[in-house]
Amino acid sequence: MRADAVRNRRRLLDAAAAEFAEHGMEVSIARIAARAGIGKGTVFRHFATKEQLMAAILSDQLDALVATGKELLESAGPGEAVLDFMAAGAGLRSFCVALTAEMREEPPVRAASERLAAVAESLTARAMRAGAVRGDVTGHDVLLLINAVVQAVAPLGDAAPELWRRYLSLVFDGLRPEAAHPLPVPAPRSLAPG
């Protein structure tokens, strides 16, 4: 890909991510193109459909969270790393909401989701070995709990933008081994629907 095409693609992805975060997933391609400083035709040269554009953005966001998780594996204490990873994931609120079952089936999103599950599993296993989280928690549990935190505050919209932190603290306290009770069903083996 030519250097100008790479720059245009990056500007497009950044503009689309900002527009989706600020105005929701129904934002128009024309608005995204204007923010990126490119024409609508350029958008469609990179992405045939709006869904493909959304899939590229979501996979970018998931890969950014993967990178955060990898950094946390190297730098933070085991329990702190899981909590920081969950906070980083919950901070992507608008993208968590956009990650529908259909969007999860898009190949770039599916691949990024698998990478994310692997890093979540590594973080969780490390925290488990250190006694920072209960012994029956998996990386998939952690990823689903991030989404639970996001969904808990979704009805309030932007009225209380930091409220998710309260629910993340409640959820993380539930991950601690102290006073843990056996869980009634096993963790999922995959985040794929069906």
Side-chain angles (χ1 to χ4, degrees), residues 61-167:
Q61 295 294 321
L62 294 175
D63 280 336
L65 189 53
V66 168
T68 297
K70 287 179 177 179
E71 288 174 17
L72 290 167
L73 276 167
E74 301 298 321
S75 64
E80 179 183 292
V82 172
L83 180 58
D84 290 349
F85 177 75
M86 292 178 77
L92 299 174
R93 290 183 311 164
S94 60
F95 297 101
C96 288
V97 172
L99 201 54
T100 63
E102 297 82 27
M103 192 56 62
R104 287 180 197 275
E105 291 304 311
E106 291 287 330
V109 175
R110 185 179 314 144
S113 294
E114 289 170 8
R115 291 187 293 274
L116 184 63
V119 80
E121 192 60 45
S122 295
L123 285 162
T124 305
R126 179 174 167 243
M128 197 180 311
R129 287 190 302 274
V133 299
R134 53 191 293 158
D136 54 357
V137 173
T138 70
H140 288 107
D141 289 326
V142 167
L143 292 175
L144 289 170
L145 288 169
I146 291 170
N147 192 51
V149 168
V150 169
Q151 295 301 325
V153 298
L156 300 175
D158 292 330
E162 296 297 311
L163 188 59
W164 65 270
R165 294 181 186 283
R166 173 185 175 86
Y167 296 101

